[in-house]
Amino acid sequence: MDFLKELGIEEINYGVSTGRNWSKTDTAGKLEIFSPGSGEKIATVYQGSEEDYEAMVLKAQEAFEYWRDVPAPKRGEIVRQIGVELRKYKDALGRLVSYEMGKSLQEGWGEVQEMIDICDFAVGLSRQLYGLSMHSERPNHRMYEQWHPLGIVCTISAFNFPVAVYSWNSTIAAVCGNVNLWKPSSKVPLTAIAVQKIIARVVEANDLPEGIFSLVIGKGSTVGERILNDKRVPLISLTGSTKVGRHANAIIAARFGKSIMELGGNNAIIVTQDADLKLAIPAIVFGAVGTAGQRCTSTRRVIIHESMYDQVKESLLKAYGSLKIGNPLDVSNHVGPLIDKDAVKDFTNALDEVKKEGGKIIYGGEVLSGAGYESGCYVRPAICEVENHYSIVQEETFAPILYLIKYKGDVKEAIKLHNSVVQGLSSSIFSLNLRETEEFLSARGSDCGIANVNIGTSGAEIGGAFGGEKETGGGRESGSDAWRAYMRRQTNTINFSTEMPLAQGIKFDI
């Protein structure tokens, strides 16, 4: 594959870098990386050791002492240059994302474009790290707040977005004055190595110290636990399952660290009797089968008014019948493979549970085999008729399973069903009725961090803060004022008088 050579991916790769140099440790275990699309081996990655991690953190601490004193617009200039380099490698990196993870090539390119976009956003942000000024109750006093960097910010990313989520965190953390540590998923380490090499070109060109952007690929049981327990890492941004997040958050909170948790989603689209199905059907299909249902924002449930149910069902069956499933590097295909055979087992087990609980599989659900499907990771996306209270429907299955749920009455009944899950990431309603859409967006409406009208649940733009409520974790990344999570707030009061008045009118004469 020419794109592997272009990105510097070799047959043997090392998993720890401080920006310029790579550790040569080969005794801490290795990862054999196979493409879920073709089943062929891509490369080998040697994992980092706990000793590698310790050396890396020491370099990061040194780098922070330098980086925090660089003016924010100058830090933004470095991020701008990273965006320029990413543009050069968009095609190759997008192909690697698709090849290693399995998402369609269009989605692979789109993920790299998301990295480029967040670089641009962060550059502008570097001149907008605003604090407030307040009027003091004491005469001749001035009050204001300012924001300072935290130190080392660690991003622990998941396999489904091998590079984009890292960029959401690292670019904004960098312009805020922090140094970055990245622990990617062990299922997709090659894209992380490729990105690290792209960033290294900018680090070297600007003669920056090692440790501003660091990478560690290592075992969760060793390196991962070291990170969670390390008081030198004040903020950890973690994307993963609710189970993983609960474990990590308990450890981080015990040491009074900060965390940004982006965990599970059980996202629903409400289709009311006033919906435009020309908009709704494509959005539902892409939301359900994009990335083979392996997005945290994937559409899991469709809550449909009874008067529209049969029409929506037939439209979805027709649309699913036209899906092309196959090699993700072929741009004509809509759906690629699941990440591995364990994910396939989760898919089939969930469908077994659907049947046990009384649901009905009305489309798909097969594991595909034969020519083009030799990896054993391809499935036919499933559509199921269920009730919202089924235990399997209440869970997040990271696979292309779409649950159809019928509701009666008004939109309030649909919202009640919608909110009756423990997750709270993304949501959507399709309706041309202003009262229905405003009800959905009101305080009585969707309880998710993202609520959309007449668009689907997936495909969030970088300009808005991304994240959710309840067991989704409450974290926010990317746009809006999410930058504040990467900084510490400081309130300052300056007395420029010749007196020493106390607040609240307290008298203390000595």
Side-chain angles (χ1 to χ4, degrees):
M1 297 286 185
D2 290 342
F3 59 83
L4 295 176
K5 183 177 180 181
E6 183 179 351
L7 294 167
I9 301 300
E10 302 173 1
E11 186 177 340
I12 301 293
N13 304 272
Y14 294 92
V16 179
S17 169
T18 53
R20 296 191 187 188
N21 297 312
W22 292 80
S23 167
K24 298 300 182 182
T25 297
D26 60 5
T27 58
K30 63 182 180 179
L31 301 170
E32 305 288 357
I33 307 304
F34 294 84
S35 169
S38 65
E40 60 189 340
K41 181 180 174 181
I42 307 175
T44 297
V45 177
Y46 283 113
Q47 298 183 96
S49 65
E50 292 185 70
E51 291 75 18
D52 288 325
Y53 171 76
E54 181 64 26
M56 183 179 58
V57 170
L58 292 176
K59 284 288 185 183
Q61 287 182 303
E62 292 176 11
F64 175 59
E65 293 182 5
Y66 163 84
W67 190 240
R68 66 187 175 187
D69 288 337
V70 175
K74 298 294 184 183
R75 300 192 294 250
E77 168 59 19
I78 300 302
V79 172
R80 186 194 68 80
Q81 292 179 36
I82 293 173
V84 170
E85 285 297 303
L86 287 169
R87 285 174 169 86
K88 295 177 184 178
Y89 294 95
K90 177 181 175 180
D91 179 70
L93 187 56
R95 289 180 185 276
L96 178 55
V97 168
S98 181
Y99 187 45
E100 185 181 28
M101 185 267 150
K103 64 175 59 178
S104 73
L105 185 53
Q106 288 289 343
E107 292 182 83
W109 286 328
E111 184 167 350
V112 181
Q113 184 61 49
E114 196 165 350
M115 299 180 75
I116 294 167
D117 292 344
I118 198 66
C119 284
D120 291 348
F121 180 90
V123 173
L125 179 65
S126 68
R127 294 181 181 270
Q128 300 179 74
L129 302 175
Y130 301 131
L132 299 173
S133 61
M134 291 77 73
H135 287 277
S136 173
E137 67 183 64
R138 291 168 285 189
N140 297 317
H141 282 60
R142 181 165 69 90
M143 291 179 62
Y144 69 98
E145 66 180 24
Q146 57 182 337
W147 296 82
H148 295 306
L150 292 170
I152 301 173
V153 169
C154 178
T155 302
I156 301 176
S157 58
F159 75 84
N160 58 332
F161 280 86
V163 292
V165 171
Y166 167 67
S167 68
W168 292 357
N169 288 276
S170 63
T171 57
I172 294 178
V175 299
C176 289
N178 302 289
V179 297
N180 284 277
L181 167 60
W182 183 14
K183 185 184 183 304
S185 167
S186 295
K187 295 182 179 183
V188 286
L190 299 177
T191 47
I193 291 170
V195 169
Q196 184 71 4
K197 290 185 175 183
I198 290 170
I199 292 174
R201 295 184 179 91
V202 177
V203 171
E204 292 173 3
N206 290 273
D207 196 26
L208 297 174
E210 293 185 68
I212 297 176
F213 297 97
S214 299
L215 171 71
V216 58
I217 297 163
K219 296 178 181 178
S221 59
T222 54
V223 172
E225 291 299 311
R226 283 287 296 272
I227 294 171
L228 297 180
N229 285 280
D230 197 339
K231 293 182 178 181
R232 297 169 297 179
V233 182
L235 173 64
I236 296 176
S237 175
L238 183 147
T239 302
S241 68
T242 297
K243 179 181 178 182
V244 170
R246 184 176 285 113
H247 167 75
N249 208 26
I251 296 173
I252 298 167
R255 63 174 174 86
F256 294 97
K258 295 184 177 182
S259 64
I260 299 172
M261 292 287 157
E262 300 289 358
L263 309 176
N266 195 345
N267 315 294
I269 292 176
I270 295 173
V271 180
T272 79
Q273 64 268 44
D274 290 316
D276 182 345
L277 295 189
K278 291 181 180 179
L279 297 177
I281 298 303
I284 294 168
V285 175
F286 176 73
V289 306
T291 322
Q294 297 170 116
R295 292 186 177 211
C296 51
T297 55
S298 290
T299 304
R300 310 288 177 199
R301 299 173 295 143
V302 186
I303 301 167
I304 311 162
H305 191 269
E306 60 179 355
S307 66
M308 303 288 283
Y309 187 85
D310 289 340
Q311 186 178 358
V312 170
K313 182 172 83 170
E314 292 306 314
S315 296
L316 289 173
L317 290 171
K318 182 178 179 181
Y320 269 55
S322 68
L323 292 174
K324 296 178 181 178
I325 306 168
N327 180 3
L329 289 173
D330 183 344
V331 293
S332 67
N333 287 327
H334 302 105
V335 184
L338 292 172
I339 186 64
D340 54 28
K341 291 182 180 179
D342 286 340
V344 174
K345 290 180 182 178
D346 290 342
F347 173 78
T348 56
N349 289 342
L351 293 177
D352 288 342
E353 288 300 314
V354 167
K355 290 183 285 188
K356 287 179 183 178
E357 294 195 59
K360 182 180 180 183
I361 302 169
I362 61 173
Y363 184 89
E366 308 94 343
V367 178
L368 302 179
S369 60
Y373 303 129
E374 291 87 354
S375 70
C377 296
Y378 289 90
V379 302
R380 193 176 306 283
I383 303 176
C384 305
E385 293 184 303
V386 299
E387 294 183 22
N388 197 64
H389 63 82
Y390 290 176
S391 60
I392 190 61
V393 177
Q394 292 286 309
E395 299 175 8
E396 178 191 42
T397 302
F398 228 51
I401 302 174
L402 184 64
Y403 299 123
L404 305 187
I405 300 163
K406 187 184 296 185
Y407 81 94
K408 301 179 181 180
D410 62 16
V411 74
K412 294 179 182 179
E413 177 61 27
I415 292 171
K416 182 178 179 181
L417 289 169
H418 173 279
N419 292 350
S420 295
V421 293
V422 296
Q423 309 86 356
L425 180 52
S426 189
S427 60
S428 178
I429 187 171
F430 278 83
S431 175
L432 301 180
N433 184 316
L434 181 63
R435 289 177 176 172
E436 289 182 333
T437 59
E438 289 297 324
E439 182 75 19
F440 180 74
L441 298 178
S442 73
R444 301 182 300 274
S446 168
D447 61 1
C448 293
I450 299 169
N452 298 326
V453 174
N454 293 328
I455 63 170
T457 60
S458 63
E461 298 180 33
I462 58 96
F466 180 90
E469 301 301 322
K470 301 190 291 188
E471 290 193 5
T472 299
R476 293 297 186 274
E477 297 170 329
S478 194
S480 185
D481 65 349
W483 63 269
R484 294 171 184 256
Y486 305 90
M487 305 194 82
R488 57 183 177 89
R489 185 197 307 253
Q490 185 179 82
T491 300
N492 308 113
T493 305
I494 301 169
N495 178 5
F496 58 94
S497 75
T498 59
E499 306 294 331
M500 185 54 68
L502 299 177
Q504 294 83 49
I506 295 173
K507 299 297 184 181
F508 187 75
D509 297 324
I510 57 173

